[in-house]
């Protein structure tokens, strides 16, 4: 296992306060990278993909170069829209509701915050999800 240092500190510094502001969330080292959990459920995981070691991630992100990615949960009705947008989004090869996002220099941190809140709400108990401020549903 590699440590959480494989993710650029600036990215962790952007993700950490957003995730830890959600009710009952805790952070821990993952098998590689860092993950944030509600109870025992991972709603966000960030790592730098090394194509020689994280083959499934590299294949899903369509990369043969090291790249920082975040995986998160998405409500079923939003997955198609994210994937249709193309880069930076990709479908992870595991979990029906798991989506990946490349965190590069063009990342929209406001969008990341919204995606993290949605991911949390997918997995959190309803009473905790109800405490999260989310943008109103379109239409």
């Amino acid at each position: 296992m590699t440590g959480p240092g494989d993710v650029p500190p600036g990215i962790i510094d952007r993700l950490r306060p957003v995730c830890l502001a959600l009710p009952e969330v805790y952070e821990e080292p993952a098998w590689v990278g860092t993950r944030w959990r509600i109870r025992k459920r991972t709603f966000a995981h960030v790592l730098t993909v090394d194509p020689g070691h994280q083959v499934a991630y590299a294949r899903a992100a369509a990369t043969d170069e090291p790249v920082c990615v975040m995986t998160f949960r998405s409500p079923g009705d939003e997955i198609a829209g994210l994937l249709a947008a193309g880069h930076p989004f990709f479908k992870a090869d595991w979990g029906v509701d798991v989506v990946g996002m490349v965190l590069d220099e063009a990342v929209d941190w406001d969008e990341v915050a919204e995606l993290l809140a949605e991911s949390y709400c997918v997995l959190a108990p309803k009473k905790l999800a109800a405490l999260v401020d989310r943008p109103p549903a379109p239409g």
Side-chain angles (χ1 to χ4, degrees), residues 27-47:
E27 176 182 313
E28 67 182 16
W31 58 277
V32 63
T34 301
R35 66 183 172 192
W36 289 272
R37 305 184 95 188
I38 172 59
R39 308 263 164 103
K40 292 186 182 273
R41 300 173 180 145
T42 300
F43 73 92
H45 179 200
V46 64
L47 70 145

Side-chain angles (χ1 to χ4, degrees), residues 11 13-14 16 22 37 46 57 79 81 84 91 98 104 125:
I11 290 177
D13 291 346
R14 296 295 298 254
R16 179 175 285 134
L22 297 165
R37 305 184 95 188
V46 64
Y57 278 91
I79 294 172
K91 180 67 179 96
V98 179
D104 57 20

Side-chain angles (χ1 to χ4, degrees), residues 50-68:
D50 175 352
H53 291 94
Q54 292 87 31
V55 178
Y57 278 91
R59 183 176 50 246
T63 185
D64 58 2
E65 298 291 326
V67 64
C68 188

